[in-house]
Amino acid sequence: MQKKGVLFVFSGPSGVGKGTIKERLFKEFEGKIAFSVSATTREPREGEVDGKDYFFIDRQEFERRVENNEFLEYAEFAGNRYGTPRSYVTGLLNQGMDVLLEIDVQGALQVKERMPECVSIFILPPSFEVLEKRLRGRGTETEEKICVRLETACHELTYASSYDYQIVNGGTIEEAYAQLREIYLTCTKQN
Ligand code: 5GP
């Protein structure tokens, strides 16, 4: 029988560097681990591609998918809706592919409850000040949206200890990635 893939749940506040660390994993383990592209009602940021970064849909379509039970989990984050496509994720896992979900804490809690065998990883900033600086430096959000994201970050950080693993992204990307790589190798070997 085909061995099932391992589901990884990756969370951390906006601006903590999740995207960069995660990209390294996909590059090194191409063909072994896939990224689940979520649906969102948020407007695309400059450079984001529909179907690659997110499936950008409107609220009505989002609600239709909720009604149809098409999401493994979904949540409201900083005024927008986000959801993980259920059939895509379970299909890949059944084919033996590992899958990484980059989702917020509300979504991660739902997934952990439904699929307790998943491996949850939280990325922490070295301090709140560093996070604020990174988020502002990114220049992708208005001041109002940055404030909402910082408030949300404060709340999210309180959930870090409920994850299976925590990684502090405080030094170089290489250091943070080395920890993620180790977790990935350990968890996929055990399965
Ligand atoms: P952003 O707007 O910066 O792309 O994402 C905002 C937050 O939503 C991030 O914490 C991101 O991980 C989370 N997110 C992205 N996709 C999903 C999803 O499908 N479900 C949930 N619950 N959160 C998501």
Side-chain angles (χ1 to χ4, degrees), residues 1-5 93-96 191:
M1 208 175 85
Q2 173 75 53
K3 207 169 88 175
K4 265 183 102 176
L93 291 172
N94 289 338
Q95 286 166 36
N191 195 17

Side-chain angles (χ1 to χ4, degrees), residues 12 14 18 38 42 45 54 73-75 77 82-84 102-104 107 138 149 156:
S14 293
K18 290 181 300 246
S38 297
R42 161 165 86 57
R45 292 190 190 122
Y54 283 108
E73 63 71 38
Y74 60 91
F77 181 95
Y82 297 83
T84 301
E102 186 194 322
I103 60 178
D104 82 323
R138 201 160 77 166
R149 279 173 183 257
E156 284 190 312

Side-chain angles (χ1 to χ4, degrees), residues 56-98:
F56 295 99
I57 60 175
D58 61 23
R59 283 216 166 230
Q60 200 181 353
E61 174 59 16
F62 195 98
E63 295 314 323
R64 191 195 64 75
R65 293 188 193 186
V66 170
E67 291 294 307
N68 270 354
N69 204 18
E70 288 179 33
F71 293 126
L72 177 63
E73 63 71 38
Y74 60 91
E76 175 109 13
F77 181 95
N80 297 299
R81 306 273 267 168
Y82 297 83
T84 301
R86 181 194 302 279
S87 61
Y88 180 70
V89 171
T90 51
L92 285 172
L93 291 172
N94 289 338
Q95 286 166 36
M97 190 82 161
D98 301 320

Side-chain angles (χ1 to χ4, degrees), residues 31-45:
K32 290 196 164 67
I33 182 162
F35 176 59
S36 160
V37 180
S38 297
T40 184
T41 60
R42 161 165 86 57
E43 290 293 315
R45 292 190 190 122

Side-chain angles (χ1 to χ4, degrees), residues 16 18 34 69 92 122 159 174 190:
V16 78
K18 290 181 300 246
N69 204 18
L92 285 172
F122 196 95
Y159 286 90
E174 278 68 34
Q190 277 172 7

